[in-house]
Amino acid sequence: MSGDHHDHLHTHDDHAPVGATEPRPEYARLERAVRELLIAKGVLTAEDIRKQIELMDSRTPAMGAKIVARAWVDPAFKARLMANAKAAADEMGVDTSNSATVVALENTPERHHVVVCTLCSCYPKAILGVPPAWYKSSAYRARTVKEPRKVLAEFGTSLPEGTEIRVVDSTADMRYLVVPMRPAGTEGWSEDRLAALVGRDSMIGTALADTPKN
Amino acid sequence: MGGIEPFASQPIDRAEHELSEFDKRVDALVNLLSHPSRALMRVDEMRNSIESLPPDEYDRTLYYEKWIHAVAEIMVAKDVIGEEELVLKLADLKEEDGEEA
């Protein structure tokens, strides 16, 4: 990369990639300055930051997949998940104590849910980890509410015309976990095996759960 | 952002991006500062700060650059960090980076 960071300001793409590249030097310094001042004042410690990053790194969509798989095999758990997703996640050992309300949305042959945050990038991080870059992009946020079927098709998800697509807009206070449909041909499968079919995007609604491979 | 042009006519870049160490530290700072045990900032304050950026600056600023901008602004507004001490600290770091302060 050029030593002159002003190059960065005049690229052809005016809309900088999200979470993709190193920050400009002035922002790197701003982070260091704020962090070091907060530590010096005893507001937080370097250890707090390290532990928080460890927690972030430990949160992956695999947690959500376990919850979905349990819901597929256990109707009573599914009922609890649909009634109170945070409490159901806690049951599965996912700490959601610092999370906003989470609502589970069940996909069916009649209705498919897809989640977007038009205002910013609200996402059920406690359950799915950090959102993918595209979820935070202006294009996904602008287009999903306008042409969801076309957006889904770009993600390789083509739904029958008869399936209603419901676009759900996340907020700071309410996040959504999509429960995809259980694929056919998985009767009698263990939860672990089922969970392996539940990808991150199927819990955002841009994809379906994977179909079993022979 | 719902339906807003020019974004509504743009392709979605579906590439997966790893978070940088900077991204992770900024995310950690926001989580720690907004945790109920500290309650030094809220997501609405962060959005207000980010959405107050001029449109051209907003467009060219990375996601977590916006976040640290908001953290700094809110910490100064709440006098958790003094404006002057932040300016001095930034000047020190700039000199350390070998740039003219």
Side-chain angles (χ1 to χ4, degrees):
Chain A
M1 191 188 258
S2 159
D4 177 9
H5 68 264
H6 291 290
D7 285 355
H8 182 91
L9 305 182
H10 299 287
T11 55
H12 293 294
D13 177 11
D14 282 343
H15 306 286
V18 279
T21 49
E22 292 300 324
R24 285 171 276 170
E26 60 269 36
Y27 285 93
R29 286 194 291 266
L30 186 59
E31 184 277 323
R32 187 175 157 198
V34 167
R35 170 167 44 92
E36 290 184 358
L37 288 170
L38 290 172
I39 290 170
K41 289 167 187 297
V43 175
L44 39 76
T45 67
E47 178 76 355
D48 291 334
I49 296 170
R50 190 184 61 73
K51 282 186 176 164
Q52 184 66 38
I53 291 174
E54 270 180 20
L55 176 64
M56 185 192 326
D57 285 342
S58 74
R59 289 173 161 167
T60 73
M63 297 185 305
K66 277 175 66 178
I67 293 171
V68 169
R70 173 68 57 86
W72 282 347
V73 300
D74 181 344
F77 177 78
K78 184 179 155 192
R80 295 197 294 280
L81 176 67
M82 302 315 291
N84 183 342
K86 274 180 74 171
D90 284 340
E91 252 184 77
M92 298 290 287
V94 178
D95 179 8
T96 59
S97 56
N98 197 29
S99 168
T101 300
V102 180
V103 174
L105 302 166
E106 186 185 15
N107 282 349
T108 66
E110 291 76 37
R111 181 179 292 162
H112 180 94
H113 298 87
V114 58
V115 183
V116 64
C117 177
T118 58
L119 282 175
C120 39
S121 56
C122 297
Y123 191 77
K125 278 190 185 179
I127 297 176
L128 296 182
V130 295
W134 54 259
Y135 184 83
K136 304 185 283 189
S137 72
S138 303
Y140 179 77
R141 290 158 54 203
R143 290 182 53 204
T144 303
V145 289
K146 198 180 175 194
E147 47 182 11
R149 207 170 278 276
K150 195 170 164 202
V151 168
L152 289 182
E154 283 176 33
F155 278 82
T157 304
S158 296
L159 296 170
E161 278 302 316
T163 301
E164 175 197 355
I165 299 178
R166 188 164 286 193
V167 180
V168 185
D169 201 351
S170 289
T171 70
D173 302 321
M174 198 173 290
R175 316 288 165 94
Y176 299 94
L177 175 72
V178 173
V179 180
M181 285 193 288
R182 179 172 175 167
T186 58
E187 294 73 18
W189 281 34
S190 70
E191 279 181 50
D192 281 352
R193 224 176 143 198
L194 288 169
L197 300 176
V198 185
R200 177 195 67 201
D201 292 3
S202 75
M203 294 179 280
I204 302 173
T206 50
L208 308 176
D210 294 341
T211 48
K213 291 176 189 71
N214 290 322
Chain B
M1 275 290 173
I4 288 178
E5 295 296 349
F7 313 110
S9 301
Q10 290 171 351
I12 297 167
D13 174 7
R14 293 179 50 213
E16 300 286 337
H17 299 294
E18 292 282 315
L19 295 188
S20 68
E21 292 304 309
F22 166 85
D23 295 342
K24 290 183 180 185
R25 286 196 300 269
V26 174
D27 196 286
L29 285 177
V30 168
N31 275 283
L32 291 167
L33 293 170
S34 55
H35 191 273
S37 64
R38 295 184 188 81
L40 288 171
M41 61 183 289
R42 297 188 312 265
V43 70
D44 58 316
E45 293 169 330
M46 195 159 102
R47 277 197 39 220
N48 179 58
S49 173
I50 289 173
E51 289 167 14
S52 300
L53 287 168
D56 57 336
E57 182 64 19
Y58 183 98
D59 281 351
R60 67 176 167 240
T61 304
L62 296 171
Y63 186 78
Y64 281 107
E65 287 180 344
K66 292 183 182 110
W67 279 36
I68 194 62
H69 161 82
V71 172
E73 198 169 81
I74 294 165
M75 290 305 103
V76 168
K78 295 193 174 179
D79 221 16
V80 176
I81 293 175
E83 186 163 11
E84 199 174 333
E85 66 177 337
L86 180 59
V87 169
L88 287 173
K89 179 86 178 170
L90 286 169
D92 282 351
L93 295 181
K94 199 167 180 177
E95 204 174 317
E96 219 176 276
D97 280 356
E99 292 188 33
E100 290 287 316

